[in-house]
Amino acid sequence: MSIARIKIVVFLLAFAPAAWLTYAVLTDQLGANPIEEVTRDSGTWALRFLLITLTMTPLRWLTDWPGWIQFRRMMGLYCFFYACLHMLLYLWLDKFFDWPEILADIIERPFITIGFISFTLLVPLAATSTKAMIKRLGRRWKKLHKLTYVIACLACLHFLMLVKADIREPLLYIFILATLLFMRFYRATIKPIILARQ
Amino acid sequence: QAFDNTTESRFSTDEKLTTYQDITTYNNFYEFGTDKSDPATYATDFPDPNKPWQVTIDGECDKPGVYDVDDLIGKQDLEERIYRLRCVEGWSMVIPWTGFPLAAVLKAAQPNTNAKFVEFTTLFDPEQMPGQRREVLQWPYIEALRMDEAMHPLTLLAIGLYGHEMPGQNGAPIRLVVPWKYGFKSIKSIVRIRFVERMPTTTWMLAGPNEYGFYSNVNPDVDHPRWSQKRERRIGEFLKRETLMFNGYGEEVADLYDGMDLRKYF
């Protein structure tokens, strides 16, 4: 299969959670509180796609197949897509666009503050994801997109702070993120030291 | 088993009932798992009919005792009470409970002058309650009320809903219902009721001291540190509604808290 074809398949697969959520809402399959369920799920999918985005580079190292990088932007944009959905559901169905209340939420509640910052930081990354922007920004583009690491940490924290008592799921994502970050740290810092000693 | 000899209560609301389906599939009962759907999945055969259910009533009282739950219920006149239930998470339901005032049971035990609080304990049995195999909360679950709250005519021991025996996921065979407090105060599947002199530390107070206070009265003006309590989503409705002080039971219970700073005693 050509990479263009694989891309189409991956594109459709990444859209599947959104399609399923829509279908499940319309057919009343999300239990007694569907709005909360969709709000939570869209947030979880945003985090998952962010982690998938961060997995592309380590996969290239591990498999020696440079093709992984070709999926990185799509995964990143899907993260943004689910994050937008998550944000919209919060603003609309949780707060019904009550702006003073939303502002108070953002200022007073650390977990909302952190979620809001994560989303805000995603916006410039999505806006600079086109080929033209990559060219225009040059080396600064790479620097800017290092924000992804910050966003991933904040998003994990956002999830952890939201949970009432059972922290297993956020801990799983924190563990995955820590592994992905450690692989980068190892390659950039520890490996050169080991090689230099030999 | 259906209850057909129940009397209507003057405390009942005439609001639209939440469906039986929603009441029995959307539950916070961490003893069976932390997902809202876990209790309905894992509590279908709860409690095990081969394990007799006993309720111990003891502590600061003159007539302590250990009762078979059926004996305890048998002495009571059953009522149907339609109450609003407001969860601390920001959703609410309207539930037709079957039960009797807690005060009836408490008075029979003849509490002495040292009895200032009433402490309740849920069953601890990881074999029947798979959620207890992990320390999500400190088991067994403990809840408590001040004596006057426990004796209040609104405070109910419920043994059924929608006129039928209590489903496992809703706290069979016997549970507390305190309609002006957040739902977690209404402890499920009770095995012990104890009169004590000092304010007990409840399970949720232990889990999050700055988030869950002893009183936990429904109060739109005192937010949970992580979310606003101004509004709530009534299960089955699209728009949110304003949360009412004491969950709308202020007329009956507000005087219990006269002169208390409800921000401090949240």
Side-chain angles (χ1 to χ4, degrees), chain B residues 88-237:
Chain B
V88 71
E89 295 167 347
W91 52 268
S92 62
M93 294 183 177
V94 178
I95 304 176
W97 302 106
T98 303
F100 49 90
L102 170 67
V105 170
L106 297 188
K107 279 176 194 155
Q110 296 179 13
N112 62 36
T113 50
N114 289 334
K116 302 284 194 307
F117 295 89
V118 185
E119 180 193 271
F120 305 85
T121 309
T122 295
L123 177 73
F124 178 73
D125 183 1
E127 252 179 54
Q128 288 196 78
M129 297 176 140
Q132 289 178 332
R133 291 171 207 163
R134 291 193 311 119
E135 277 288 296
V136 186
L137 294 171
Q138 185 173 300
W139 312 119
Y141 194 95
I142 302 278
E143 254 311 333
L145 297 171
R146 212 170 57 187
M147 202 61 187
D148 55 348
E149 298 175 324
M151 287 293 192
H152 195 279
L154 276 178
T155 307
L156 198 72
L157 279 177
I159 57 161
L161 58 87
Y162 265 99
H164 290 274
E165 202 172 341
M166 190 72 76
Q169 61 267 39
N170 294 89
I174 190 162
R175 65 167 290 170
L176 188 68
V177 182
V178 194
W180 72 92
K181 293 175 180 284
Y182 292 119
F184 66 87
K185 292 293 292 182
S186 294
I187 185 171
K188 303 186 180 89
S189 305
I190 297 168
V191 292
R192 188 176 188 193
I193 298 173
R194 189 160 72 109
F195 298 98
V196 294
E197 188 167 7
R198 294 172 63 183
M199 180 186 284
T201 304
T202 67
T203 298
W204 277 106
M205 284 165 76
L206 212 59
N210 61 331
E211 304 199 338
Y212 308 100
F214 178 83
Y215 289 95
S216 289
N217 292 317
V218 175
N219 189 340
D221 303 325
V222 178
D223 288 340
H224 185 279
R226 285 183 283 154
W227 56 82
S228 162
Q229 295 289 28
K230 275 201 191 76
R231 297 193 183 91
E232 66 200 50
R233 176 163 280 119
R234 182 66 56 83
I235 294 302
E237 291 181 358

Side-chain angles (χ1 to χ4, degrees), chain A residues 93-94 161 164 166 168, chain B residues 34 89 134 226 233 240:
Chain A
L93 297 181
D94 202 43
M161 290 171 82
K164 239 166 73 187
D166 188 357
R168 276 178 303 172
Chain B
T34 51
E89 295 167 347
R134 291 193 311 119
R226 285 183 283 154
R233 176 163 280 119
K240 288 192 167 184

Side-chain angles (χ1 to χ4, degrees), chain A residues 54-142:
Chain A
L54 288 176
T55 312
M56 295 299 109
T57 300
L59 275 177
R60 183 181 63 178
W61 300 336
L62 292 173
T63 61
D64 272 333
W65 185 56
W68 292 109
I69 297 307
Q70 302 218 30
F71 296 94
R72 195 169 57 183
R73 171 167 54 190
M74 195 205 294
M75 295 297 102
L77 284 172
Y78 259 114
C79 160
F80 185 62
F81 167 71
Y82 284 103
C84 286
L85 194 62
H86 182 56
M87 189 68 161
L88 180 71
L89 288 168
Y90 162 73
L91 295 176
W92 178 28
L93 297 181
D94 202 43
K95 297 288 159 190
F96 292 94
F97 302 114
D98 180 344
W99 297 109
E101 178 82 358
I102 290 164
L103 195 69
D105 242 13
I106 292 170
I107 294 168
E108 285 168 25
R109 300 180 217 292
F111 106 87
I112 304 263
T113 315
I114 288 170
F116 184 76
I117 295 173
S118 327
F119 179 79
T120 312
L121 293 179
L122 271 180
V123 176
L125 302 196
T128 56
S129 65
T130 60
K131 273 206 179 103
M133 283 306 268
I134 297 171
K135 242 188 199 156
R136 228 170 92 185
L137 289 174
R139 284 166 74 187
R140 283 175 303 161
W141 186 90
K142 247 191 157 166

